[in-house]
């Protein structure tokens, strides 16, 4: 009846082992560290740089707890924050401006756990410390960029359709096209309305000129604002993820606000550098007309800039930007026809048209492709245009390694911001405050667990201790699941952990009280245990499903801390149902299921109503005596709420059965009576 198969015990053992294995890394804590990342794609992080860092620290007598090279960055551990800050200042001055040197925190998990994939939970900003930014999207800037794009597109469209116009001006929030005659204006209006549905057009006559005023429609402006915020969030997430910052939180807040949280990063200035680490592309023409030697002597001609091509060759480049990275739809690393590393770009329709016209008009001239990264421009390559290039596919190659090609593709694929963003709030949470929050959350969970455990152990005795063991395993499995999922634990998540302790014990209380009810009704101990678990299961599932629905709603409609609370709550519900119904019963079956004769269930004092006491005592006497009638036992078990007549009848039946099964005393009485009669 109360037995588990071997595979069921194996499930419990494996669950316990996995929970313990993946929970362990969370107890090792974190150590202060310095993270070194390349600022430019041309800079590399390799073993030579690692050796350079170690030598610099050794010469300064700054001890480390280890240094490692991973994911394109170097991370050096230190014993305390004072050494960490000194090392950061030293490495900044040693490495110069080609690298970002930022404060960070690294987990102290042993190597063997890391090799097994057992990693600690990510800690949120309020627990780990880090940097918090709130950025506002500059919609005026977005509108300016949109008008600039429309201006270039309209010029190209009118040129292709051979529609003459006298000029195009950008004024405030509108574009003004000037024509010499009404016929050209009408023809242009029809062409532009067909190709630019988001623009509204209005005819105006100024002096002898015919004007066509283009403005962005209000519904297009609203859609532009929404898409700009979403694109900026995607771009920021790509930048942070692809440039080495772990477990960031980037989310929308309000209509035009974006929250960026970088847990573990303690340096606000360097966090801004990390956010600013992006790249876009500019296509310009090389100026071969002016004297390069004069430019090298400091006499740079107007309208040009002096750069160095990869390899160190000086180059004069015109300031006019002919094509930007905004038109890039995809960027992938690859190889050119000479099997040299290259970056393959796909342009949108507008970019493809511009690039085709550019190459058509400048055959035989040099074209410079510049990578703009952190407002610093670098000429990647300056090839000679051999022929017109159409189709929207462009290849960039020239003195780059496979790693550089991959990094450039990543940066270009991250894209440019759809609209400028301004930091309106910045906040740094120190690691000491995070440690204090962790201590408070840990203590609340610990004291809550101890309080529940003491009460349950006193009230339910041995079965209460079994419930405490199941509750401890519930917490173990919950923390293990969070670690496996690499979830981000925040302060609200720790509150959900403490809440789970109180909620999880409810299922064990339901089971224990159901077993008491069965014993109160007169069921045998083994039958009471079996019926208690079976009949409490439905109630446990119903009550937890309703709470799970509320948790899913919190996760679906909440944001930030609310989502963190909901994740821990939902996982806690699932683990509590598993431990209460499966693990608890497994422990009970292991201890009591193998006993053929169980006289007593150690589940605390059972309160019995006065009207049911005779039946209960009779049933207990019958169970102790053994050999009782199966029909009588069935009647008592199935009818816990009997009236007085049935109870009396049951008592008489049991007494009669006891007299028949124990005739020795009655026989002696008859013999005594016969002896007295004979004597008379």
């Amino acid at each position: 009846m109360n037995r588990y198969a071997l595979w069921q015990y194996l499930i419990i053992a494996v669950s316990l082992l996995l929970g313990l294995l993946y929970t362990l890394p969370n107890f090792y804590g974190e150590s202060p560290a310095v993270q070194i990342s390349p600022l430019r794609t041309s800079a590399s992080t390799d073993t030579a740089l690692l050796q350079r860092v170690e030598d610099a620290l050794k010469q300064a007598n700054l001890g480390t707890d280890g240094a490692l090279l991973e994911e394109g960055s170097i991370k050096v551990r230190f014993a305390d924050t004072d050494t960490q800050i000194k090392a950061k200042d030293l490495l900044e001055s040693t490495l110069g401006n080609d690298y970002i040197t930022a404060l960070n925190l690294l987990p102290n998990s042993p190597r063997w756990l890391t090799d097994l994939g057992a990693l600690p939970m990510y800690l949120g900003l309020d627990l780990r410390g880090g940097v918090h930014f709130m950025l506002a999207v500059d919609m005026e800037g977005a509108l300016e960029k949109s008008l600039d794009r429309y201006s270039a597109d309209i010029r190209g469209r009118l040129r292709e359709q051979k529609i003459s116009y006298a000029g195009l001006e950008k004024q405030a929030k509108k574009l003004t096209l000037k024509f010499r005659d009404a016929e050209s204006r009408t023809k242009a209006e029809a062409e532009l309305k067909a190709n630019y549905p988001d623009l509204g057009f209005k005819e105006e006559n100024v002096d002898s000129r015919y004007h066509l005023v283009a403005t962005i429609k209000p519904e297009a402006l609203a859609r532009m604002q929404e898409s700009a915020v979403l694109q900026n969030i995607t771009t920021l997430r790509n930048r942070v993820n692809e440039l080495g910052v772990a477990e960031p939180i980037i989310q929308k807040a309000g209509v035009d606000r974006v929250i960026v949280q970088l847990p573990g990063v303690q340096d606000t200035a360097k966090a801004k550098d990390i956010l600013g680490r992006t790249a876009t592309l500019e296509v310009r023409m090389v100026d071969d007309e002016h004297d390069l030697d004069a430019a090298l002597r400091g006499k740079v001609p107007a309208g040009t800039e002096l750069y160095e091509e990869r390899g160190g060759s000086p180059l004069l480049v015109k300031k006019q930007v002919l094509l930007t990275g905004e038109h890039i739809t995809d960027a992938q690393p690859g190889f050119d026809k000479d099997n040299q590393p290259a970056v393959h770009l796909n342009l949108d329709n507008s970019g493809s048209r511009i690039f085709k016209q550019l190459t058509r008009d400048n055959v035989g001239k040099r074209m410079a492709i510049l990578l703009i990264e952190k407002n610093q421009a670098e000429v990647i390559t300056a090839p000679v245009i051999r022929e017109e290039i159409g189709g929207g596919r462009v290849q960039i190659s020239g003195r780059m390694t496979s790693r550089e090609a991959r990094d450039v593709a990543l940066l270009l694929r991250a894209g440019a911001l759809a609209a400028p963003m301004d930091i309106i709030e910045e906040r740094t949470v120190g690691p000491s405050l995070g440690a204090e929050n962790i201590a408070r959350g840990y203590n609340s969970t610990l004291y809550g667990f101890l309080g529940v455990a003491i009460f349950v152990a006193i009230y339910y005795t041995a079965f209460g201790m079994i419930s405490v063991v199941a509750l401890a395993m519930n917490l173990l499995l919950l923390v293990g699941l969070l670690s496996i999922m690499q979830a981000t634990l925040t302060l609200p998540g720790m509150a959900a952990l403490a809440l789970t302790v109180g909620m999880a014990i409810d299922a064990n209380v339901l089971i224990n009280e159901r077993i008491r009810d069965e014993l109160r009704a007169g069921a045998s101990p083994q039958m009471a245990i079996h019926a208690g678990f079976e009949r409490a299961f439905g109630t446990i599932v119903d009550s937890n499903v309703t709470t799970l629905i509320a948790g899913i709603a919190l996760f679906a409609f909440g944001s930030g801390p609310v989502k963190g609370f909901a994740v821990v709550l939902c996982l806690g519900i699932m683990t509590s149902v598993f431990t209460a119904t499966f693990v608890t019963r497994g422990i009970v079956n292991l201890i009591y299921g193998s006993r053929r004769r169980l006289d007593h269930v150690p589940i605390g004092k059972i309160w019995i109503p006065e009207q049911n006491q005779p039946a209960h005592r009779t049933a207990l006497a019958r169970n102790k005596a053994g050999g009782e009638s199966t029909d009588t036992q069935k009647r008592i078990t199935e009818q816990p709420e009997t009236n007085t007549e049935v109870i009396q009848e049951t008592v008489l039946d049991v007494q009669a059965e006891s007299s028949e099964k124990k005739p020795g005393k009655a026989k002696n009485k008859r013999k005594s009576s016969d002896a007295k009669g004979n004597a008379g």
Side-chain angles (χ1 to χ4, degrees), residues 35 66 146 210 214 262 331 339 341 361 363 378 397 402 415 432 438 519 556 589 605 619:
Q35 179 173 317
S146 296
Y210 298 88
L262 305 177
N339 204 29
D361 297 340
V363 173
E378 176 189 11
S397 61
S402 298
S432 58
I438 292 176
L519 292 172
N589 289 351
K605 185 177 180 181

Side-chain angles (χ1 to χ4, degrees), residues 126-129 429-441:
D126 48 3
L127 297 180
R128 191 183 186 191
V429 180
S432 58
L433 180 59
E436 183 181 352
N437 290 336
I438 292 176
R440 288 182 177 180

